[in-house]
Amino acid sequence: MSGRTVITGIGVVAPNGIGTDAFWKATKEGVSVLDTIGRDGFDGLPLRIAGQVRGFDATAMIEERYLVQTDRFTHFAMAAADLALAQSGPPAPDGSPLDVAVVTAAGSGGGEFGQRELQKLWGRGSRHVGPYQSIAWFYAASTGQISIRGGFKGPCGVVAADEAGGLDALAHARRSLLRGTRAVVVGAAEAPLAPYSGVCQLGYEELSLVPDADRAYLPFTTSARGFAPAEGGAMFVVEDARDAADRGATPRAVVAGHAATFTGASRWAESREGLARAVRGALDDARLAPRDVDVVFADALGTPWADRAEALALRDALGPHAARVPVTAPKTGTGRAYCGAPLLDTAAAVLALEHDTVPPTPHVHEVCHDIDLVTERPRPAELRTALVLSRGLMGSNAALVITAP
């Protein structure tokens, strides 16, 4: 065992593309797909704008016996896992099913499935509620179904947390590899655009209710009014570098460092210290200095207090280098997919390292904070190390360091 965790497969199901090629093309070009929510039941809600996964045919990617017992968020996760596994090749091909694990993060669970069954309960009676209601809504459903479908029997788990849980899932997978697991299928996907889920989100004061797609999600600007939600996410195959080399797999990036802190729900001023501490911890874990960071994928919540705290946290953690390092937030073009959001950023970070290109931040033009935010168009740059940041609405902070292999 080398002790180095490498990414050998990436699967993406995102509002701006399914698969890494489509996702990267749209991300690199700064294409925005934010739009009016077109789902039944949203007409009377003040939430109008979100990032929706279009062109996703679950029946073409997932067997019927799994479709009937799972929610849309699990459909996304299973499809993304398939794409990641197809890219990496079979992990631990000569080993036992116990050598491969599955770890996912979840913030909202299966709201669409749950709403449908609850409507049956109150409209037609308990005998009309399907037996899969007991599992389809559950946060661990994606981990369970991916492991069952793939025959993976390693130490599986789920990180039931807010947005930062997406990065924490990768850290959990990395620790599993250090304990002897040979490969982990890891990631997160969310589907929070059912009416019931939409009503639940209205309790978040950080949620943007701006009805204009071009102005709904504008972090780091004087027009910041919150974030636009989204569905989708990404899955990865991670394994020890030596195992990957032994089976001839090509490493796409190294998961070099991670750290997490907690500062409390909606305490955005306090998140400055917590996020800075997480950044320093992740760099220490990766044995890198602030000057080694070549690009930052920002959390970019989109509220004045949160954006200011993030900009100051970068200055606190990176020192003078913070003014020079390019910062980007591609999620302003797709929306914020809760636990899936930082994993889509991680996928974008790996692709940015591979293409020596910093993708732009859609919609944002005039930045009011002291950061070098990349806007308008992609920026060519020599990239070796990417820093991915995430904060959750319930107070979690996480930082992940990704390096070129």
Side-chain angles (χ1 to χ4, degrees):
M1 180 178 295
S2 70
R4 295 172 70 243
T5 297
V6 296
I7 295 170
T8 55
I10 305 173
V12 171
V13 176
N16 65 345
I18 297 171
T20 52
D21 290 344
F23 170 71
W24 176 245
K25 184 177 187 296
T27 300
K28 181 185 68 173
E29 295 175 359
V31 173
S32 174
V33 294
L34 292 181
D35 200 357
T36 302
I37 299 172
R39 306 283 172 80
D40 291 341
F42 272 87
D43 291 345
L45 298 182
L47 173 60
R48 305 303 303 148
I49 302 298
Q52 302 158 89
V53 174
R54 302 183 187 276
F56 177 77
D57 183 3
T59 62
M61 304 186 74
I62 301 161
E63 302 87 338
E64 175 65 19
R65 67 180 183 275
Y66 293 106
L67 287 178
V68 298
Q69 57 185 287
T70 50
D71 180 78
R72 185 172 172 86
F73 91 108
T74 299
H75 301 166
F76 290 155
M78 287 193 289
D82 282 351
L83 292 169
L85 287 161
Q87 195 175 94
S88 75
D94 59 341
S96 159
L98 297 172
D99 288 331
V100 183
V102 180
V103 177
T104 65
S108 58
E112 184 176 283
F113 194 107
Q115 176 175 335
R116 184 174 68 244
E117 298 304 311
L118 287 173
Q119 287 175 325
K120 291 178 183 178
L121 172 65
W122 297 114
R124 301 169 63 188
S126 59
R127 292 181 180 275
H128 295 275
V129 177
Y132 299 118
Q133 164 67 353
S134 61
I135 60 172
W137 69 270
F138 192 45
Y139 300 101
S142 295
T143 289
Q145 297 291 2
I146 292 170
S147 63
I148 292 168
R149 187 164 172 253
F152 306 132
K153 300 181 180 181
C156 296
V158 58
V159 180
D162 51 21
E163 290 94 318
L167 298 186
D168 296 341
L170 276 168
H172 186 91
R174 185 167 169 243
R175 287 193 294 270
S176 290
L177 295 175
L178 292 174
R179 290 194 293 264
T181 303
R182 292 183 60 185
V184 184
V185 181
V186 56
E190 303 266 27
L193 298 183
Y196 168 75
S197 301
V199 170
C200 291
Q201 291 170 77
L202 294 176
Y204 299 144
E205 62 183 26
E206 298 86 358
L207 186 73
S208 174
L209 302 180
V210 176
D212 181 352
D214 291 331
R215 302 191 61 77
Y217 190 11
L218 297 173
F220 304 114
T221 72
T222 56
S223 300
R225 296 294 182 272
F227 70 92
E231 59 184 2
M235 296 293 296
F236 302 83
V237 176
V238 298
E239 52 193 307
D240 182 79
R242 184 166 297 165
D243 281 336
D246 287 346
R247 70 181 186 88
T250 301
R252 302 195 65 170
V254 178
V255 181
H258 168 271
T261 63
F262 181 79
T263 48
S266 297
R267 296 179 179 177
W268 299 116
E270 296 174 32
S271 75
R272 169 184 178 177
E273 179 182 357
L275 189 60
R277 186 182 292 272
V279 171
R280 287 191 290 264
L283 288 172
D284 288 345
D285 186 27
R287 299 182 181 180
L288 294 172
R291 65 178 180 275
D292 295 318
V293 176
D294 298 315
V295 61
V296 176
F297 283 76
D299 175 61
L301 186 67
T303 66
W305 279 107
D307 293 345
R308 182 175 185 272
E310 183 170 19
L312 293 174
L314 285 173
R315 188 184 70 183
D316 295 345
L318 301 183
H321 185 61
R324 299 188 293 270
V325 63
V327 178
T328 185
K331 61 171 73 74
T332 61
T334 60
R336 187 180 179 93
Y338 295 100
C339 281
L343 291 167
L344 287 171
D345 279 346
T346 300
V350 174
L351 293 160
L353 296 180
E354 291 181 342
H355 292 87
D356 282 327
T357 301
V358 181
T361 305
H363 299 298
V364 174
H365 304 291
E366 296 181 3
V367 179
C368 68
H369 296 277
D370 189 19
I371 57 174
D372 181 16
L373 191 70
V374 178
T375 62
E376 309 287 350
R377 60 186 60 87
R379 182 186 299 180
E382 186 175 337
L383 304 178
R384 295 287 301 171
T385 300
L387 175 65
V388 181
L389 304 181
S390 183
R391 291 171 299 178
L393 298 175
M394 297 299 105
S396 297
N397 314 287
L400 185 76
V401 175
I402 296 290
T403 61

